[in-house]
Amino acid sequence: MLTQRALILGRALHLVGSLKATPGVTPPDETIDGFPEFAFTLDTIKDPQVSQKLRSIAKRIVASHRGSKRIIGFEVHGHADQTLRVAAGAERDRTELEVSRDRAEHAKELLLKMIEEEGGTPIIAGIKANAVAFGFGSQHRIFRPATTEPQRRKNRRVEIFLKEFDPPKPAPSPEPPPKPNARPKHPWRIQIKNGTVATLQIPGSEVSSLTITLVVEITDLKKKQKARFRVISTGGGAPSASFPPVLSPADSQPVLEGKALDFFTTDETSIANFAGSVDVGLSPGAGVSVLSTGGQFAFSFRDLEKIGRFTVPPMIVVEGGSSPLQLPQASLGGFTTGTISMQGSPTPAQ
């Protein structure tokens, strides 16, 4: 299993692990061998266990999207035995490479088909974006040299590596202050109205740049007034779907109106105090699976802290809305910093 964990340490996003397999080194989650020479379709293996192995993987991928640790894709490596029917040289290398690549591509497409058959239609677009196939010719043979036909069939194989992304864990709720010193709480409501999330893959890096632009409405439930704010923040995102990373124009996807969330601050806070510096974290949403929400945006209003006024909880996690398959599939979460500014003046709220 290729597992990448996202940890928020302090105000920075740290990625632990990799979603890339090293051929001949990383242990595969499943291996299918037994290809006849030059054959690349799995039905030529004539082994009923081949279909059972792929079906089991498909069920595992679909089932993972019912929990928090989702399998977001897979990688297939195709391998060939060293053929003796072609003289050593460029022609033999090319033949072995093409056969191994065709084996990997065929296994990938068959597995994607089974994922849909097992109920994975809602997530198939995200899985396809994170499914890749590579051929390595005879570079990574198990037997060097293979002296029997069973050994040669072991060399003719495909290896499947599952990709799992473990999103950042929510910050634990702070311990309540001692009751004798408790300060009155001021009730507020926040709601994402609209916005965009844009990603740009950084060549040679497992991190992509991330730009979050949002319009949020903050309502003072005590004074019955509300105001709209514009949030612009930039930072780093989790790894993209492309492998190897390829520079491409920013993929900008809309964020629709989400659910409103109630929270509290200390009593001296005014609606204008929310303007200033802000940190915004993005947890995976539809970019990983359309079975999840449109993405969760965690706000930390740093200028409130500077003047001794705080939100309860200290990080406000708000859901953004999305239509199916929105939010960039290249971004699986991230952490950004920026500004929040009030648009116009507060208006009465019912």
Side-chain angles (χ1 to χ4, degrees):
M1 177 77 71
L2 304 171
T3 301
Q4 183 121 59
R5 293 179 175 85
L7 306 174
I8 294 180
L9 303 177
R11 295 189 181 276
L13 178 75
H14 293 263
L15 301 176
V16 180
S18 176
L19 293 178
K20 300 174 185 177
T22 302
V25 176
T26 306
D29 291 279
E30 188 59 83
T31 299
I32 298 173
D33 56 33
F35 288 92
E37 188 173 18
F38 302 132
F40 62 88
T41 59
L42 273 69
D43 56 3
T44 59
I45 299 178
K46 307 297 184 183
D47 185 346
Q49 288 190 351
V50 170
S51 180
Q52 294 173 10
K53 287 180 178 181
L54 284 180
R55 185 71 60 179
S56 177
I57 293 176
K59 291 179 179 179
R60 181 179 175 185
I61 290 173
V62 174
S64 74
H65 284 254
R66 303 188 189 105
S68 60
K69 294 183 179 181
R70 300 182 181 95
I71 297 173
I72 61 172
F74 58 89
E75 189 171 309
V76 184
H77 291 185
H79 301 278
D81 184 43
Q82 193 172 61
T83 179
L84 301 179
R85 299 192 188 185
V86 181
E91 179 64 19
R92 183 165 77 178
D93 294 342
R94 183 188 62 79
T95 300
E96 293 168 353
L97 182 62
E98 288 180 353
V99 170
S100 66
R101 185 170 56 225
D102 289 344
R103 286 171 181 164
E105 287 288 349
H106 183 260
K108 184 189 82 170
E109 294 304 320
L110 191 55
L111 180 53
L112 288 171
K113 179 182 177 182
M114 288 186 178
I115 291 171
E116 287 194 86
E117 293 173 351
E118 293 300 326
T121 299
I123 64 172
I124 196 63
I127 299 297
K128 283 182 178 179
N130 286 284
V132 290
F134 303 102
F136 296 96
S138 62
Q139 297 178 57
H140 304 287
R141 287 168 287 157
I142 296 174
F143 294 96
R144 292 173 172 267
T147 57
T148 65
E149 181 59 19
Q151 289 180 350
R152 285 188 280 271
R153 285 179 175 266
K154 285 291 184 181
N155 286 340
R156 304 175 197 136
R157 69 195 188 281
V158 293
E159 297 174 331
I160 300 173
F161 306 83
L162 300 179
K163 300 179 180 181
E164 180 186 71
F165 182 73
D166 190 1
K169 300 296 186 296
S173 301
E175 295 184 5
K179 288 186 178 180
N181 298 324
R183 304 171 73 179
K185 293 181 178 179
H186 192 123
W188 298 86
R189 178 169 295 153
I190 184 171
Q191 183 181 27
I192 294 174
K193 307 303 288 187
N194 58 70
T196 58
V197 176
T199 57
L200 177 65
Q201 181 63 42
I202 301 173
S205 171
E206 292 190 0
V207 178
S208 58
S209 67
L210 181 65
T211 300
I212 298 174
T213 304
L214 298 172
V215 173
V216 300
E217 185 174 83
I218 298 178
T219 302
D220 186 334
L221 298 178
K222 186 175 183 180
K223 296 182 179 179
K224 304 297 183 183
Q225 61 177 197
K226 61 183 179 180
R228 289 204 173 187
F229 292 79
R230 182 176 178 81
V231 177
I232 301 178
S233 59
T234 59
S240 75
S242 61
F243 177 69
V246 178
L247 182 63
S248 60
D251 178 14
S252 181
Q253 297 290 340
V255 180
L256 307 184
E257 183 173 290
K259 297 179 181 178
L261 175 77
D262 291 350
F263 65 100
F264 297 91
T265 68
T266 50
D267 250 357
E268 299 86 351
T269 307
S270 70
I271 200 166
N273 292 146
F274 287 94
S277 301
V278 65
D279 294 332
V280 184
L282 172 62
S283 293
V288 177
S289 166
V290 295
L291 300 181
S292 60
T293 67
Q296 291 183 326
F297 298 83
F299 295 89
S300 179
F301 301 98
R302 288 188 282 130
D303 278 13
L304 281 182
E305 301 172 8
K306 292 179 182 178
I307 61 175
R309 296 165 191 173
F310 303 90
T311 60
V312 180
M315 184 171 288
I316 309 301
V317 180
V318 189
E319 289 186 5
S322 71
S323 54
L325 302 182
Q326 286 183 343
L327 285 186
Q329 294 186 13
S331 177
L332 307 178
F335 190 84
T336 64
T337 61
T339 59
I340 176 171
S341 56
M342 187 186 301
Q343 306 297 290
S345 302
T347 58
Q350 296 181 352

